[in-house]
Amino acid sequence: MIEKKEITAIIQEWIADNAGYFLVDVEIKPGNSIVVEIDHNEGVDISTCSDLSQFIESRLDRDVEDYELEVGSAGLTAPFKVLGQYLKNIGNEVEVLTKSGQKLAGVLKSADDSGFTLTVVKKVKPEGSKKKIEIEEDLSFQTDEIKYIKYLIRFK
């Protein structure tokens, strides 16, 4: 059976020669079905996926072990899996679902290995006022406090 570690090493070799790309996920399914997700700050086009697919195939031998290979970009609405996706989306609106079940929408302000900061807009009623006003509040989360964070698409 083809090992995830072997595929990851091949992809890292390709990434070293292709600046800005980063590995999101490698999955080896039963029957040696290999699924690779990559990303880049400027997005990923089909020719890049084809190039990586050919690179991986050049490093594997189908005569030794047969496999199925699928290379694609991380889905636009898929939950973030790696720090690179967080960093790519700083300044963008995201949706967060906490492990306590709270769903929030806000702008991703910052991120690092341990967590991220989300800027949310809240409506509050100042004392002595009849109208609510909007204020921004920064909320910090550790990555182990959330179920998911993903890019939020809004149609206006």
Side-chain angles (χ1 to χ4, degrees):
M1 181 170 170
I2 295 174
E3 296 290 323
K4 181 176 181 175
K5 190 164 72 171
E6 175 186 8
I7 300 301
T8 301
I10 293 169
I11 296 165
Q12 293 300 347
E13 181 184 345
W14 181 87
I15 286 173
D17 293 332
N18 292 274
Y21 288 93
F22 56 92
L23 178 61
V24 174
D25 196 18
V26 173
E27 189 177 356
I28 311 287
K29 297 179 180 178
N32 277 342
S33 178
I34 305 164
V35 180
V36 175
E37 288 182 22
I38 59 170
D39 208 346
H40 188 281
N41 288 344
E42 306 298 319
V44 178
D45 60 30
I46 195 160
S47 66
T48 301
C49 293
S50 175
D51 290 347
L52 177 54
S53 179
Q54 290 171 9
F55 185 83
I56 294 168
E57 288 178 358
S58 74
R59 301 295 195 272
L60 299 175
D61 186 353
R62 284 189 190 272
D63 293 334
V64 173
E65 193 162 20
D66 197 23
Y67 59 89
E68 179 183 325
L69 177 61
E70 178 184 329
V71 176
S73 64
L76 184 62
T77 59
F80 300 168
K81 296 178 183 176
V82 296
L83 180 59
Q85 291 175 293
Y86 286 79
L87 298 175
K88 172 185 173 180
N89 283 286
I90 288 177
N92 290 333
E93 194 170 12
V94 295
E95 177 181 284
V96 175
L97 179 62
T98 65
K99 287 187 175 173
S100 64
Q102 183 182 23
K103 191 180 269 191
L104 302 163
V107 175
L108 186 59
K109 184 176 184 178
S110 65
D112 60 29
D113 288 328
S114 62
F116 62 93
T117 301
L118 183 70
T119 302
V120 296
V121 175
K122 289 183 158 184
K123 289 189 176 192
V124 295
K125 188 175 176 184
E127 197 172 314
S129 176
K130 291 184 180 184
K131 282 188 165 184
K132 288 185 177 184
I133 61 169
E134 291 185 345
I135 61 164
E136 289 185 351
E137 181 180 2
D138 288 346
L139 304 174
S140 294
F141 295 93
Q142 299 298 311
T143 50
D144 63 356
E145 295 177 310
I146 64 162
K147 286 188 178 179
Y148 70 75
I149 177 173
K150 61 184 180 179
Y151 180 75
L152 182 61
I153 299 175
R154 290 196 191 265
F155 298 100
K156 295 181 181 184

